[in-house]
Amino acid sequence: SYSGLRNRNYNNEWKPRVFSIFSIEDARNRLEKMLGTAIDWTKIEDFLPINNDTTEEGILFRRSSLASIFSASLELAKESEKKFSNNNDVLPLEGLPLAIKDEVNIKGQPNRNGCLLLKNNIAQQTDIDVETIVNSGAILHGRTTNPEFSLTSFCHSKLNGVTRNPWNLDMTPGGSSGGSAAALASGCAMLTTGSDIGGSIRIPAGACGVVGYKPPHGRNAQSYPFNHDPYCVTGPLARTVVDTAMMQNIMCGPNQKDITSLRPKKILPLNYENIKNWKIAYSMDLGFFEIDKEVEKNTLDIINKLKELGAQVEEVKIKSITEEWGEVPTYIIKVDKYSTFFANDILVHNK
């Protein structure tokens, strides 16, 4: 519940939540100049709901599941500060608070996947989806909420209650990576992870006013069975385009554990001199969505700006969903395979 978030002032009058809305570049500069500390930025407990238990209002992070994460993250933050002090072995995201969606395994940490039956599940290994980002120097200080098994476009479950949009508590943050987007929008994290099949990164990013990127399949390595689904990817969320690109550049690359991962590693530029003669296609409604007038206006404003910058922008008309989506029956089979995988996970956990 965002109405339960609290923010504590420190003696030097700055607030961690204010610092946590900096870009990666700004944050790194402040850490290098000792204008902020990784330890203070890691203390996400200052933003947690006062109520320790799940309520019908829902929460972003579960305090009971994060006690061990807090302890470990504070120790990592101390190590990061030593690195900055000595200018020694500083990693790309050193000292920056990172929250990871509660659907991937990180060895020794809870992985509930939004499912009440998995509330006591402890991961036995770290999924390759997040190996590189976990080892990038960022401080993992929280796991973000998602609906059960991340299979819907809102963000509530019997396990976590309702996660709300920080801009308007009557609205959803979207899903399934709703907790990740809401954490960014409320200043609870600088970087978060998500996953996307039919919009699970893009919908929350749009709903919460942050940036999400669904990379091409195979660009970011994944664990089985998700790597065998050409629609399913793991990707970054952040508050700026540049931060999102920086995070993607860390997450991407081939991995010998994922046969579908692509070679070579593709690095996205952080700045583009110009976009003249770029070819850009867009669909306003994907053939079936009802579009809010304000969203339509903002989209057209951006399109006009792209045209002014020299890009060749063309609207693509898409047929109705039944005509265009010929692979729907195939995808139903894939969902059935996911159901079998998740059911087996529950069975193993509850033996």
Side-chain angles (χ1 to χ4, degrees):
S1 166
Y2 284 93
S3 58
L5 295 178
R6 53 193 169 94
N7 194 5
R8 183 174 65 197
N9 279 309
Y10 283 77
N11 292 333
N12 53 0
E13 296 303 312
W14 60 265
K15 300 179 181 180
R17 188 172 183 182
V18 174
F19 267 63
S20 65
I21 63 173
F22 291 136
S23 68
I24 293 177
E25 184 179 7
D26 288 339
R28 282 292 301 267
N29 288 338
R30 288 177 175 272
L31 286 172
E32 289 170 359
K33 296 176 181 178
M34 305 306 290
L35 295 176
T37 71
I39 293 176
D40 283 321
W41 288 358
T42 301
K43 292 179 179 176
I44 195 64
E45 67 266 28
D46 292 312
F47 314 116
L48 285 169
I50 295 173
N51 190 340
N52 288 347
D53 301 318
T54 299
T55 69
E56 62 180 14
E57 288 296 311
I59 55 178
L60 268 180
F61 303 92
R62 287 184 60 86
R63 185 191 300 272
S64 60
S65 72
L66 294 179
S68 60
I69 299 178
F70 281 148
S71 177
S73 63
L74 287 173
E75 291 303 314
L76 289 173
K78 293 175 184 178
E79 292 300 317
S80 289
E81 290 196 6
K82 291 179 182 178
K83 290 182 180 181
F84 279 109
S85 297
N86 301 325
N87 195 26
N88 183 37
D89 296 328
V90 176
L91 296 171
L93 300 179
E94 194 71 56
L96 303 182
L98 164 74
I100 288 182
K101 186 177 180 180
D102 191 24
E103 67 166 359
V104 297
N105 291 306
I106 298 178
K107 187 175 181 178
Q109 291 189 13
N111 178 23
R112 297 180 172 84
N113 220 331
C115 179
L116 193 61
L117 292 174
L118 295 176
K119 64 180 180 179
N120 297 316
N121 181 45
I122 302 297
Q124 301 303 309
Q125 75 282 328
T126 298
D127 288 342
I128 61 176
D129 310 44
V130 292
E131 276 183 351
T132 54
I133 198 71
V134 166
N135 295 319
S136 66
I139 309 298
L140 173 57
H141 70 313
R143 302 294 295 272
T144 59
T145 56
N146 51 270
E148 191 170 37
F149 300 121
S150 299
L151 291 176
T152 191
S153 58
F154 47 81
C155 195
H156 60 258
S157 67
K158 290 183 179 180
L159 177 67
N160 294 318
V162 179
T163 301
R164 300 179 181 274
N165 193 311
W167 297 104
N168 184 338
L169 300 181
D170 293 328
M171 298 293 182
T172 178
S176 63
S177 308
S180 290
L184 288 169
S186 60
C188 290
M190 288 184 183
L191 304 166
T192 61
T193 66
S195 59
D196 194 314
I197 294 177
S200 285
I201 288 175
R202 294 160 290 164
I203 293 170
C208 293
V210 297
V211 181
Y213 178 61
K214 181 182 182 181
H217 182 260
R219 190 61 68 197
N220 296 0
Q222 295 184 105
S223 296
Y224 176 83
F226 307 103
N227 62 330
H228 285 213
D229 181 349
Y231 297 100
C232 183
V233 300
T234 298
L237 292 97
R239 275 187 292 270
T240 71
V241 172
V242 172
D243 284 2
T244 307
M246 290 178 66
M247 191 173 172
Q248 167 61 18
N249 288 343
I250 291 170
M251 296 180 72
C252 73
N255 189 304
Q256 62 181 1
K257 300 176 185 176
D258 179 5
I259 193 173
T260 69
S261 59
L262 299 177
R263 295 172 173 79
K265 181 182 177 77
K266 174 70 173 179
I267 299 296
L268 299 176
L270 301 184
N271 294 288
Y272 294 88
E273 291 186 6
N274 64 72
I275 61 170
K276 188 175 181 179
N277 296 324
W278 279 26
K279 293 183 178 181
I280 300 173
Y282 78 95
S283 170
M284 185 62 72
D285 61 4
L286 295 179
F288 67 98
F289 279 112
E290 181 179 349
I291 306 300
D292 184 272
K293 292 297 182 182
E294 185 178 5
V295 172
E296 183 178 23
K297 178 185 180 300
N298 291 340
T299 303
L300 292 174
D301 286 345
I302 293 171
I303 289 170
N304 289 332
K305 184 63 177 178
L306 293 172
K307 289 179 179 179
E308 290 175 10
L309 294 172
Q312 301 175 32
V313 185
E314 180 180 350
E315 182 175 9
V316 176
K317 293 294 185 181
I318 298 178
K319 299 176 183 178
S320 69
I321 186 171
T322 53
E323 294 177 290
E324 195 72 27
W325 288 16
E327 294 190 29
V328 169
T330 302
Y331 193 71
I332 291 174
I333 295 174
K334 291 176 183 175
V335 171
D336 181 62
K337 289 183 178 179
Y338 279 143
S339 300
T340 302
F341 174 78
F342 292 139
N344 182 68
D345 196 27
I346 293 172
L347 181 64
V348 170
H349 172 71
N350 287 283
K351 277 186 176 180

